[in-house]
């Protein structure tokens, strides 16, 4: 008992000593001065920067110029807010409806909202944005950098180019001039201006990383830039150091849905063509040849007597089309269009669609091993030209891919299926039907296959989600399941793939790992 009391006494003394030491140190740190106030800590600031500003005068001048550039271009970029009433299925409560507690009509719709960007291009209030920003929306509102808001009306759209022209009735507008995008060079400094994640008047800096990037289902070619582009930047401006518009920001390549330094913009040349055509004609006037084309494979080149695989093969010629009038025949290989070499089908399609209607264009074909110069007079593409191909035309040297064409509607009741032969394990897709497109509120020009299941343990699980629409695999359009499987089979199993997808009305490019 005595030892226990000694132990308790020892613990008490130690505790008292620790407490006394703590109180002493606290009072020492907070010791008041003679006037009862805290003694200030000594603080000596740096007298000047560690570098002479004369040594960085170029950087300082560049910074000032960027500030002036930002002040000049930001008032020309607007925020575009859209709304759409989406009909949805609801669980009815007959008892609640009977007593008037629920209005059944109010349970049928929900409001879907989205944000994007736009660029003022005229003093009259014309605004260029992406078609996917406003496609199918019931209300479009535009907010200017000075805080003014206006209801916008749709003047015209070009879904093939993912561009739309809006107009607002407002004064004191500052339009951006359209630059010459053909003169833009890789490495040139550019600035992206837009409304990422709803953060208005955001400016990011980068360079033109590459030119002539394919646009997937979007007709034409893109600029690639490392200026940060995020959701909400769609439809915003890509401007040069001169303060002119060189592109419309449209898509990103991303694993996470956010910027990873790879963004894509529609060149100003395409913007100008669409804008002028819509304002003049009320629609986009597009030239056409009236041919069905095939890529030149090494086997086809050998069969046609070509020394190398180049150009594109004419598979069929539409009756009465500019191609037929010009004398183009099946099995011709088009190697030049308007004095420029034809790289592939996408390249030719882009240049044909961008040609002036009624213009005479020189082209060169290889026929039976001989180069034949021809001249074609462009005409406006008729609305039904897709179904006016001569069915009796002989096939090209290489058989066309089986399955429906990109513009053919897929089967209405196509069952979902997983990728064949384990080409993309753990991922199941199905055809994109009109009903599915409506349920997912997709852009009108969406074409591809819909992801119906992703195994959480599969390599693609961290990239793909259910309801993603896959439009391209490695820059090859996949308008249906057969073409999707074919594109997968052409990719070596030791290489990852690049998918172009539509997710929640936003297009992006994502890398998808293969199962090893």
């Amino acid at each position: 008992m005595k030892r226990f009391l000694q132990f308790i006494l020892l613990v008490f003394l130690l505790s008292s000593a620790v407490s006394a030491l703590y109180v002493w140190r606290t009072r020492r740190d907070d010791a008041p001065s003679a006037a009862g106030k805290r003694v200030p800590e000594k603080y000596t600031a740096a007298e000047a920067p560690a570098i002479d500003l004369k040594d960085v005068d170029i950087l300082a001048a560049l910074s000032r110029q960027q500030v002036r550039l930002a002040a000049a271009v930001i008032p020309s970029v607007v925020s575009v807010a859209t709304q759409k009433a989406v009909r949805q299925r609801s669980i009815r409560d007959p008892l609640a409806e009977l007593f008037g507690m629920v209005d059944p009509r109010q349970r049928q719709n929900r409001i879907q909202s989205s944000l994007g960007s736009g660029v003022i291009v005229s003093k009259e209030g014309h605004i260029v944005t992406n078609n996917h920003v406003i496609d199918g929306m019931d209300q479009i509102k535009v907010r200017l950098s000075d805080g003014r808001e206006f209801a916008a009306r749709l003047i015209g759209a070009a879904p093939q180019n993912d561009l739309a022209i809006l107009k607002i009735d407002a004064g004191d507008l500052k339009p951006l001039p359209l630059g010459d995008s053909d003169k833009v060079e890789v490495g040139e400094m550019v600035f992206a201006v837009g409304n990422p994640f709803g953060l208005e008047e955001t400016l990011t800096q980068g360079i033109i990383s590459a030119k002539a990037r394919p646009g997937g289902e979007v007709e034409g070619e893109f600029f690639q830039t490392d200026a940060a582009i995020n959701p909400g930047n769609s439809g915003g401006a890509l401007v040069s150091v001169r303060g002119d518009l060189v592109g419309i920001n449209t898509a990103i390549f991303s694993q996470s849905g956010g910027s990873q330094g790879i963004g894509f913009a529609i060149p100003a040349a395409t913007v100008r063509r669409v804008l002028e055509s819509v304002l003049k004609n009320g629609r986009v006037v597009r030239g056409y040849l009236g041919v069905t084309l095939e890529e030149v494979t090494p086997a086809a080149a050998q069969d046609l007597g070509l020394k190398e695989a180049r150009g594109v093969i004419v598979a069929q010629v539409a009756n009465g089309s500019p191609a037929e009038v010009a004398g183009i025949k099946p099995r011709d290989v088009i190697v030049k269009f308007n004095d420029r070499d034809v790289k592939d089908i996408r390249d030719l399609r882009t240049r044909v669609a961008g040609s002036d209607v009624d213009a005479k264009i020189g082209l060169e074909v290889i026929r039976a091993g001989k180069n034949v110069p021809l001249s074609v007079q462009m005409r406006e593409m008729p609305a039904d030209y897709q179904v006016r191909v001569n069915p009796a035309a002989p096939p090209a040297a290489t058989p066309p891919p089986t399955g429906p064409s990109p513009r053919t509607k897929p089967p209405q009741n196509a069952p979902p299926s997983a990728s064949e032969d384990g080409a993309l394990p753990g991922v199941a897709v199905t055809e994109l039907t009109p009903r599915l497109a409506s349920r997912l509120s997709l852009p009108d020009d969406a074409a591809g296959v819909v992801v119906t299941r992703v195994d959480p343990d599969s390599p693609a699980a961290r990239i793909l989600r259910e309801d993603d629409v896959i439009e391209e695999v490695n820059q090859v359009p996949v308008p249906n399941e057969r073409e999707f499987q074919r594109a997968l089979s052409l990719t070596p199993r030791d290489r990852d793939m690049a998918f172009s997808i539509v997710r929640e009305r936003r297009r992006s490019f994502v890398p998808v790992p293969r199962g090893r």
Side-chain angles (χ1 to χ4, degrees), residues 80-120:
V80 179
T82 60
Q83 288 188 344
K84 175 183 179 181
V86 180
R87 183 173 293 274
Q88 63 179 1
R89 220 183 273 175
S90 61
I91 301 175
R92 299 188 61 186
D93 185 345
L95 186 62
E97 292 176 6
L98 178 65
F99 288 97
M101 298 172 63
V102 177
D103 183 349
R105 293 173 296 178
Q106 296 179 357
R107 303 178 64 177
Q108 299 301 314
N109 297 327
R110 63 180 176 86
I111 300 299
Q112 174 180 308
S113 301
S114 65
L115 290 173
S117 306
V119 185
I120 302 172

Side-chain angles (χ1 to χ4, degrees), residues 8-218:
I8 295 297
L9 180 60
L10 179 61
V11 171
F12 174 75
L13 292 174
L14 287 175
S15 300
S16 298
V18 171
S19 299
L21 179 62
Y22 174 78
V23 170
W24 175 77
R25 293 191 61 179
T26 302
R27 289 180 177 178
R28 185 194 65 177
D29 293 341
D30 295 334
S33 65
K37 297 181 179 179
R38 177 181 173 83
V39 177
E41 291 285 344
K42 186 177 181 181
Y43 170 72
T44 304
E47 296 179 357
I51 188 171
D52 191 336
L53 292 180
K54 294 180 180 179
D55 295 336
V56 290
D57 55 346
I58 295 178
L59 291 178
L62 177 61
S63 178
R64 291 192 299 270
Q65 290 168 359
Q66 289 181 349
V67 169
R68 289 197 291 269
L69 176 66
V73 302
I74 283 177
S76 303
V77 181
V78 303
S79 170
V80 179
T82 60
Q83 288 188 344
K84 175 183 179 181
V86 180
R87 183 173 293 274
Q88 63 179 1
R89 220 183 273 175
S90 61
I91 301 175
R92 299 188 61 186
D93 185 345
L95 186 62
E97 292 176 6
L98 178 65
F99 288 97
M101 298 172 63
V102 177
D103 183 349
R105 293 173 296 178
Q106 296 179 357
R107 303 178 64 177
Q108 299 301 314
N109 297 327
R110 63 180 176 86
I111 300 299
Q112 174 180 308
S113 301
S114 65
L115 290 173
S117 306
V119 185
I120 302 172
V121 292
S122 79
K123 294 181 179 180
E124 291 76 17
H126 295 101
I127 294 171
V128 174
T129 186
N130 284 138
N131 182 67
H132 74 259
V133 171
I134 56 87
D135 184 37
M137 293 298 175
D138 301 324
Q139 296 181 13
I140 307 172
K141 289 187 178 181
V142 167
R143 181 181 175 90
L144 307 186
S145 63
D146 59 12
R148 290 182 291 168
E149 291 189 2
F150 299 91
R153 62 183 185 274
L154 178 63
I155 300 297
Q160 300 92 337
N161 304 105
D162 196 16
L163 290 171
I165 312 301
L166 310 177
K167 188 175 183 182
I168 59 174
D169 296 321
D172 193 24
L173 298 176
K174 297 180 179 179
L176 268 187
L178 292 173
D180 188 349
S181 57
D182 292 336
K183 294 182 179 179
V184 172
E185 300 290 344
V186 173
E188 184 173 326
M189 185 186 297
V190 289
F191 300 84
V193 191
N195 181 35
F197 301 110
L199 301 172
E200 300 176 359
E201 304 172 28
T202 297
L203 181 142
T204 55
Q205 176 188 337
I207 63 170
I208 296 293
S209 305
K211 296 174 61 175
R213 292 300 195 202
E217 289 298 310
V218 178

Side-chain angles (χ1 to χ4, degrees), residues 155-165 219 270-287 353-355 357 380-382:
I155 300 297
Q160 300 92 337
N161 304 105
D162 196 16
L163 290 171
I165 312 301
E219 182 182 276
T270 302
V271 176
R272 186 190 302 275
R273 177 171 60 83
V274 170
L275 174 66
E276 293 178 351
S277 183
V278 166
L279 297 186
K280 180 180 178 180
N281 305 293
R283 68 187 189 283
V284 178
V285 176
R286 302 154 55 82
S355 300
V357 174
E380 181 178 356
M381 179 188 299

Side-chain angles (χ1 to χ4, degrees), residues 380-402:
E380 181 178 356
M381 179 188 299
D384 62 343
Y385 93 102
Q386 293 288 346
V387 296
R388 292 175 59 183
V389 175
N390 179 8
T398 53
T402 56

